[in-house]
Amino acid sequence: MADSEDIRAVLDRDGLDALVRVLKQRGRTVIGPTVRDRAIVLAELDSADELPHGWGVELEAGQYRLRQRDDVAVFAYSAGPQSWKSFLHPERVRQWTAERGSSGELTVRQEEPPRVSYAFLGVRPCDLRAIQILDRVMSGGRYPDPAYRSRRSGAFLIAAECTEPGATCFCVSMGTGPAVDAGYDLALTEVLDDGGHRFLCRSGSAEGAAVLAELPRRPADVATRAAATGAVSQAAERMGRSMPPVDLRTLMRDSLAAERWDDVTSRCLSCGNCTMVCPTCFCTTTEDITDLTGDHAERWRRWDSCYDLEFSLLRDGPVRASPLSRYRQWLTHKLGTWHDQFDSSGCVGCGRCIVWCPTGIDLTVEAHALHQEAAERGTAP
């Protein structure tokens, strides 16, 4: 990072308001957290007033509760039901349409990639890493996804460092938070103490520095810097969950025959909730639809899940017919063989899969159980 891009300043509430306003003036569609339907969700923002001022969440396995805080913190909440994947890799995307003319000729029109200039406000460190993983999956190989590239190209990322992790967070174990060190245009660290409510803001790109220069701000004082650093450090010590301190890739590889798979899949509904809320799961399928006349047809791409029985369907039947084989496929891929495909883990420690599992299955508990079983067999990594 060039020194000219690493600019630090302090913003107050007026500065946060101005940030949204400046981004919109630059032609950006600003997406950020807001309270809706008893949850903190991601949606288009018209102003900073729509941010979740004074709201937090209570998380546990299979549980999510919105709660009113006793302060006016804006970013003091943990991951909600959505991730930024919903905007970069939407659930449904039309690929082409076909029309049959009066003389029977067919006209096929390919769907053009959308023209949108996003600004994502409040990207958690774990989700920032998830976006980087999706970049590698969706646009880093030989066959990039043009729809993803169109949405991702030029997106302006405003990270919000985590100062209050939830009970299901384990980003420290995955090396993805609670601080951010790269991949952002602006990074905010919220400070709320006797010195007032403010945000330490630092730029991570030339455009980030240019935006920061347009905001009402003051120099980053020593007290605010120290308070921001301390809040993030304390958050790292308060993670609600952890992974076993071993090579998870090796653990998954050597645990394919573990008895623990029978235990966990006796509780698994194969509903696929974990894949839907995961910020890095990317699998899709296609579906063709027609109207009642048969003269109009469309092809849509939509999210799919490795928990779907038909996901691995071949001529003679599904490759993974049992719930055990499907759960094992998901977990060993996410923590293990993802490295073989994409040179990283597929898990960022956000904890969404734990919260939104209807039976409260916790992948960190399962990883510890697999490690314990391996230790008892004398094969632990």
Side-chain angles (χ1 to χ4, degrees), residues 264-328:
V264 63
T265 53
S266 70
R267 294 172 274 128
C268 178
L269 302 179
S270 292
C271 67
N273 265 20
C274 51
T275 60
M276 297 298 105
V277 298
C278 177
T280 64
C281 278
F282 59 88
C283 291
T284 60
T285 187
T286 57
E287 58 183 8
D288 296 330
I289 60 174
T290 62
D291 64 6
L292 292 176
T293 68
D295 293 331
H296 175 83
E298 298 179 352
R299 170 162 289 182
W300 288 78
R301 185 182 70 185
R302 62 171 174 82
W303 288 353
D304 202 0
S305 172
C306 53
Y307 284 89
D308 190 332
L309 187 60
E310 296 183 353
F311 182 81
S312 63
L313 183 65
L314 299 178
R315 184 178 68 87
D316 294 328
V319 173
R320 291 181 285 275
S322 68
L324 185 154
S325 63
R326 296 196 291 276
Y327 183 87
R328 183 177 59 191

Side-chain angles (χ1 to χ4, degrees), residues 57-234:
V57 294
E58 295 177 356
L59 307 178
E60 252 308 336
Q63 299 178 36
Y64 179 99
R65 295 289 184 273
L66 187 68
R67 67 178 178 87
Q68 184 81 55
R69 295 176 56 85
D70 57 6
D71 57 32
V72 293
V74 179
F75 299 115
Y77 60 88
S78 302
Q82 295 167 286
S83 70
W84 307 96
K85 178 179 76 173
S86 300
F87 299 92
L88 296 174
H89 180 47
E91 180 181 357
R92 296 184 78 240
V93 175
R94 188 166 62 186
Q95 297 183 295
W96 52 255
T97 60
E99 301 285 347
R100 190 196 310 275
S102 57
S103 59
E105 75 280 3
L106 284 177
T107 302
V108 179
R109 295 183 179 85
Q110 184 174 348
E111 194 79 5
E112 293 298 321
R115 296 180 178 179
V116 61
S117 180
Y118 281 127
F120 292 160
L121 172 58
V123 183
R124 294 300 188 186
C126 56
D127 279 344
L128 188 64
R129 181 65 62 85
I131 291 173
Q132 294 165 0
I133 291 173
L134 281 181
D135 287 349
R136 172 68 181 86
V137 172
M138 304 297 291
S139 62
R142 294 177 59 189
Y143 304 102
D145 183 331
Y148 178 89
R149 275 195 169 180
S150 179
R151 292 181 175 87
R152 178 67 177 92
S153 177
F156 190 88
L157 304 183
I158 306 152
E161 291 192 309
C162 183
T163 59
E164 190 166 327
T168 53
C169 295
F170 56 101
C171 64
V172 169
S173 290
M174 307 311 297
T176 60
V180 295
D181 57 6
Y184 58 86
D185 293 288
L186 290 174
L188 302 174
T189 311
E190 188 168 20
V191 177
L192 188 57
D193 58 17
D194 293 340
H197 187 196
R198 58 209 188 276
F199 305 86
L200 178 66
C201 182
R202 63 186 192 271
S203 59
S205 69
E207 186 177 7
V211 169
L212 181 56
E214 296 185 46
L215 306 180
R217 65 201 184 281
R218 63 179 186 271
D221 57 279
V222 174
T224 299
R225 286 178 182 243
T229 301
V232 174
S233 297
Q234 291 172 20

